[in-house]
mmCIF file of all heavy atoms in Angstrom:
data_model
loop_
_atom_site.group_PDB
_atom_site.id
_atom_site.type_symbol
_atom_site.label_atom_id
_atom_site.label_comp_id
_atom_site.label_asym_id
_atom_site.label_seq_id
_atom_site.Cartn_x
_atom_site.Cartn_y
_atom_site.Cartn_z
ATOM 1 N N PHE A 10 7.764 -54.206 -7.467
ATOM 2 C CA PHE A 10 6.419 -53.659 -7.469
ATOM 3 C C PHE A 10 5.758 -53.861 -6.097
ATOM 4 O O PHE A 10 5.097 -52.957 -5.580
ATOM 5 C CB PHE A 10 5.581 -54.309 -8.572
ATOM 6 C CG PHE A 10 4.166 -53.831 -8.604
ATOM 7 C CD1 PHE A 10 3.844 -52.589 -9.119
ATOM 8 C CD2 PHE A 10 3.140 -54.622 -8.090
ATOM 9 C CE1 PHE A 10 2.533 -52.138 -9.137
ATOM 10 C CE2 PHE A 10 1.835 -54.186 -8.104
ATOM 11 C CZ PHE A 10 1.524 -52.935 -8.628
ATOM 12 N N LYS A 11 5.930 -55.068 -5.500
ATOM 13 C CA LYS A 11 5.365 -55.350 -4.181
ATOM 14 C C LYS A 11 5.943 -54.413 -3.121
ATOM 15 O O LYS A 11 5.215 -53.897 -2.276
ATOM 16 C CB LYS A 11 5.630 -56.811 -3.790
ATOM 17 C CG LYS A 11 4.777 -57.810 -4.501
ATOM 18 C CD LYS A 11 5.105 -59.220 -4.002
ATOM 19 C CE LYS A 11 4.297 -60.273 -4.712
ATOM 20 N NZ LYS A 11 4.642 -61.618 -4.237
ATOM 21 N N PHE A 25 -2.971 -40.172 5.792
ATOM 22 C CA PHE A 25 -4.360 -40.190 6.250
ATOM 23 C C PHE A 25 -4.441 -39.885 7.744
ATOM 24 O O PHE A 25 -5.255 -39.068 8.192
ATOM 25 C CB PHE A 25 -4.986 -41.561 5.942
ATOM 26 C CG PHE A 25 -6.375 -41.721 6.471
ATOM 27 C CD1 PHE A 25 -7.457 -41.153 5.816
ATOM 28 C CD2 PHE A 25 -6.606 -42.439 7.638
ATOM 29 C CE1 PHE A 25 -8.743 -41.296 6.310
ATOM 30 C CE2 PHE A 25 -7.882 -42.590 8.134
ATOM 31 C CZ PHE A 25 -8.960 -42.010 7.467
ATOM 32 N N LEU A 26 -3.612 -40.534 8.547
ATOM 33 C CA LEU A 26 -3.609 -40.289 9.989
ATOM 34 C C LEU A 26 -3.221 -38.850 10.319
ATOM 35 O O LEU A 26 -3.790 -38.225 11.213
ATOM 36 C CB LEU A 26 -2.682 -41.283 10.693
ATOM 37 C CG LEU A 26 -3.153 -42.736 10.691
ATOM 38 C CD1 LEU A 26 -2.079 -43.640 11.275
ATOM 39 C CD2 LEU A 26 -4.454 -42.879 11.455
ATOM 40 N N TRP A 27 -2.248 -38.307 9.598
ATOM 41 C CA TRP A 27 -1.827 -36.929 9.818
ATOM 42 C C TRP A 27 -2.976 -35.965 9.515
ATOM 43 O O TRP A 27 -3.247 -35.046 10.291
ATOM 44 C CB TRP A 27 -0.598 -36.623 8.944
ATOM 45 C CG TRP A 27 -0.150 -35.204 9.024
ATOM 46 C CD1 TRP A 27 0.476 -34.598 10.056
ATOM 47 C CD2 TRP A 27 -0.296 -34.207 7.996
ATOM 48 N NE1 TRP A 27 0.727 -33.291 9.752
ATOM 49 C CE2 TRP A 27 0.268 -33.027 8.494
ATOM 50 C CE3 TRP A 27 -0.846 -34.225 6.719
ATOM 51 C CZ2 TRP A 27 0.291 -31.858 7.752
ATOM 52 C CZ3 TRP A 27 -0.819 -33.058 5.980
ATOM 53 C CH2 TRP A 27 -0.255 -31.893 6.495
ATOM 54 N N PRO A 35 -8.587 -29.185 16.564
ATOM 55 C CA PRO A 35 -9.375 -28.134 17.217
ATOM 56 C C PRO A 35 -10.455 -28.700 18.132
ATOM 57 O O PRO A 35 -10.730 -28.135 19.180
ATOM 58 C CB PRO A 35 -10.002 -27.367 16.048
ATOM 59 C CG PRO A 35 -9.125 -27.645 14.883
ATOM 60 C CD PRO A 35 -8.587 -29.027 15.102
ATOM 61 N N LEU A 37 -10.279 -31.534 19.759
ATOM 62 C CA LEU A 37 -9.645 -32.181 20.904
ATOM 63 C C LEU A 37 -8.959 -31.190 21.830
ATOM 64 O O LEU A 37 -8.688 -31.510 22.977
ATOM 65 C CB LEU A 37 -8.623 -33.217 20.418
ATOM 66 C CG LEU A 37 -9.200 -34.385 19.624
ATOM 67 C CD1 LEU A 37 -8.076 -35.268 19.100
ATOM 68 C CD2 LEU A 37 -10.164 -35.194 20.464
ATOM 69 N N GLY A 49 -7.600 -18.350 43.044
ATOM 70 C CA GLY A 49 -6.209 -18.087 42.692
ATOM 71 C C GLY A 49 -5.284 -18.408 43.847
ATOM 72 O O GLY A 49 -5.642 -18.277 45.008
ATOM 73 N N PRO A 62 -24.070 -13.739 29.233
ATOM 74 C CA PRO A 62 -24.819 -14.973 28.956
ATOM 75 C C PRO A 62 -24.684 -15.981 30.096
ATOM 76 O O PRO A 62 -23.650 -16.051 30.764
ATOM 77 C CB PRO A 62 -24.153 -15.502 27.675
ATOM 78 C CG PRO A 62 -23.513 -14.305 27.051
ATOM 79 C CD PRO A 62 -23.106 -13.419 28.191
ATOM 80 N N ILE A 98 -8.753 -7.944 24.592
ATOM 81 C CA ILE A 98 -7.945 -7.346 25.669
ATOM 82 C C ILE A 98 -6.859 -8.320 26.112
ATOM 83 O O ILE A 98 -6.911 -9.508 25.807
ATOM 84 C CB ILE A 98 -8.790 -6.956 26.910
ATOM 85 C CG1 ILE A 98 -9.528 -8.168 27.485
ATOM 86 C CG2 ILE A 98 -9.719 -5.821 26.604
ATOM 87 C CD1 ILE A 98 -10.263 -7.879 28.776
#
Side-chain angles (χ1 to χ4, degrees):
F10 178 76
K11 285 182 181 179
F25 175 78
L26 292 174
W27 176 73
L37 297 175
I98 58 174

